[in-house]
Amino acid sequence: MFCLLVGVFSLLSTIQFLIFDLNEVIILDYEAQFSIYMEADPGISPWVLTHKRNIRAGLSTVTIVVSFWLLYCSHSSNYAGLLGSALWAVAYELTSFCMVLLMNRSIKEQFKELSYLHLIFQVSRMLLHFFCLPFIIKRTYTLYKDTKASRMTGRRKRPSISTIDHSWSNVWLGTWCRT
């Protein structure tokens, strides 16, 4: 039951942050082209700033699909899907956190409060996702143990020849010889 709530939370929070990210204003004055980010030295930071929307859209799209997968696996009791969803949540949050740190280095001094806001949003979302992970892992472990136990009980050994009861064959022979 809790895994369903985690899936719905993950889905809705991803959509919410995707809307925030795609509607973020980067250039304040379109005529003067005044940006909130500094001109960065060559490296990974300007590349992240340039492709931020595409990276966020791609990560969010995959996370939305994984959230639906989490809902399906929770409903169908698929432990491998639950584990994969938990691993993706960790990868998604760590990637997003790294992106926020890279972008915070590039924000101009006048807009440092905005970088703190980005960081607070990211850390709060990470804490909420990571708070839910133990419940998913516990459910995954329970389903794994149940699946393993059901496989063990499903295997029945056939009786060997030495354990066959031959007492009924004597009764049948005895009734056949009497007639």
Side-chain angles (χ1 to χ4, degrees), residues 136-147:
I136 294 174
I137 299 299
K138 182 181 177 192
R139 175 76 173 142
T140 302
Y141 183 72
T142 304
L143 288 173
Y144 174 73
K145 283 295 190 183
D146 289 346
T147 304

Side-chain angles (χ1 to χ4, degrees), residues 128-161:
L128 287 171
H129 262 122
F130 291 159
F131 171 76
C132 298
L133 285 180
F135 299 105
I136 294 174
I137 299 299
K138 182 181 177 192
R139 175 76 173 142
T140 302
Y141 183 72
T142 304
L143 288 173
Y144 174 73
K145 283 295 190 183
D146 289 346
T147 304
K148 191 175 177 182
S150 67
R151 282 189 207 150
M152 292 276 214
T153 58
R155 296 182 195 158
R156 302 212 185 251
K157 293 183 178 179
R158 295 188 179 209
S160 64
I161 296 176

Side-chain angles (χ1 to χ4, degrees), residues 66-67 69-70 73 80-90 133 136:
V66 168
S67 296
W69 179 250
L70 175 66
C73 290
L82 292 175
L83 183 62
S85 299
L87 292 175
W88 173 254
V90 171
L133 285 180
I136 294 174

Side-chain angles (χ1 to χ4, degrees), residues 1 26 51 53 57-58 75 84-85 88-89 104 113 132 135 139-140 147 156 158 162 170 173 176:
M1 176 64 181
I26 296 174
H51 300 321
R53 287 182 182 223
H75 177 70
S85 299
W88 173 254
N104 283 349
E113 289 83 17
C132 298
F135 299 105
R139 175 76 173 142
T140 302
T147 304
R156 302 212 185 251
R158 295 188 179 209
S162 63
N170 294 338
L173 282 174
W176 184 70

Side-chain angles (χ1 to χ4, degrees), residues 37-47 49 102 105-106:
Y37 294 107
M38 296 183 287
E39 293 296 320
D41 298 330
I44 189 90
S45 191
W47 184 84
L49 287 174
L102 284 172
R105 290 189 338 196
S106 302

Side-chain angles (χ1 to χ4, degrees), residues 84-97:
S85 299
L87 292 175
W88 173 254
V90 171
Y92 170 69
E93 292 299 341
L94 291 178
T95 305
S96 295
F97 185 69

Side-chain angles (χ1 to χ4, degrees), residues 25-150:
V25 176
I26 296 174
I27 299 175
L28 298 177
D29 187 10
Y30 287 104
E31 294 173 4
Q33 293 292 315
F34 184 74
S35 175
I36 63 173
Y37 294 107
M38 296 183 287
E39 293 296 320
D41 298 330
I44 189 90
S45 191
W47 184 84
V48 169
L49 287 174
T50 305
H51 300 321
K52 181 180 82 160
R53 287 182 182 223
N54 294 335
I55 294 169
R56 295 277 184 164
L59 284 173
S60 296
T61 303
V62 172
T63 305
I64 289 170
V65 170
V66 168
S67 296
F68 278 120
W69 179 250
L70 175 66
L71 291 171
Y72 171 75
C73 290
S74 177
H75 177 70
S76 66
S77 299
N78 181 352
Y79 69 89
L82 292 175
L83 183 62
S85 299
L87 292 175
W88 173 254
V90 171
Y92 170 69
E93 292 299 341
L94 291 178
T95 305
S96 295
F97 185 69
C98 290
M99 283 183 57
V100 167
L101 289 179
L102 284 172
M103 290 185 303
N104 283 349
R105 290 189 338 196
S106 302
I107 289 183
K108 290 181 180 175
E109 198 60 41
Q110 300 96 332
F111 302 104
K112 280 296 181 185
E113 289 83 17
L114 185 62
S115 69
Y116 301 140
L117 184 65
H118 282 288
L119 199 57
I120 288 171
F121 280 161
Q122 179 60 41
V123 169
S124 66
R125 187 178 70 194
M126 283 177 65
L127 288 175
L128 287 171
H129 262 122
F130 291 159
F131 171 76
C132 298
L133 285 180
F135 299 105
I136 294 174
I137 299 299
K138 182 181 177 192
R139 175 76 173 142
T140 302
Y141 183 72
T142 304
L143 288 173
Y144 174 73
K145 283 295 190 183
D146 289 346
T147 304
K148 191 175 177 182
S150 67

